Amino acid sequence: MDQNELIAQITKVASKHQAAGTICYLNYDEVAAPAIRRWASSNRRGVPQNNLELRIRDLAKALTLPEKSGRRTVHKSTLELAAAIAACMPDYSVALPP
């Protein structure tokens, strides 16, 4: 899958989730680029590439605005969006448990 196809697929997934009321500060057509960058760079933040649950939570944080305290509270619907986006990623199967 090339980059344009991946962006189109993530945009489609994000559009469906936004229509369902998912809490995300980005519009569905703005989600793909930051999601791809965040997914690819999770290891730099100490999130193991083979830990799917942590990578999805890390991705969800990128889709959430920080509160005044600087913390990011991740809503369940945002986690669901992050999981759907993660399933689009080319290395998704690498993160699945054996």
Side-chain angles (χ1 to χ4, degrees):
M1 173 182 321
D2 72 9
Q3 186 81 356
N4 290 332
E5 291 173 329
L6 179 58
I7 289 170
Q9 191 172 4
I10 291 172
T11 300
K12 183 177 178 181
V13 165
S15 174
K16 288 180 183 178
H17 278 264
Q18 190 171 38
T22 295
I23 296 173
C24 178
Y25 81 96
L26 296 168
N27 289 323
Y28 72 90
D29 57 346
E30 301 171 324
V31 169
I36 293 167
R37 281 193 307 273
R38 184 76 174 206
W39 185 260
S41 65
S42 62
N43 203 37
R44 287 190 304 216
R45 285 182 300 287
V47 179
Q49 297 286 308
N50 62 350
N51 190 320
L52 183 59
E53 185 178 344
L54 290 179
R55 285 183 85 186
I56 289 171
R57 182 164 287 285
D58 181 61
L59 178 56
K61 285 181 184 179
L63 304 174
T64 306
L65 282 175
E67 298 171 359
K68 290 181 183 180
S69 66
R71 294 191 57 197
R72 292 179 188 256
T73 303
V74 177
H75 191 273
K76 180 183 175 191
S77 66
T78 310
L79 272 175
E80 292 168 354
L81 170 59
I85 291 172
C88 299
M89 298 299 181
D91 68 340
Y92 177 77
S93 61
V94 172
L96 292 174

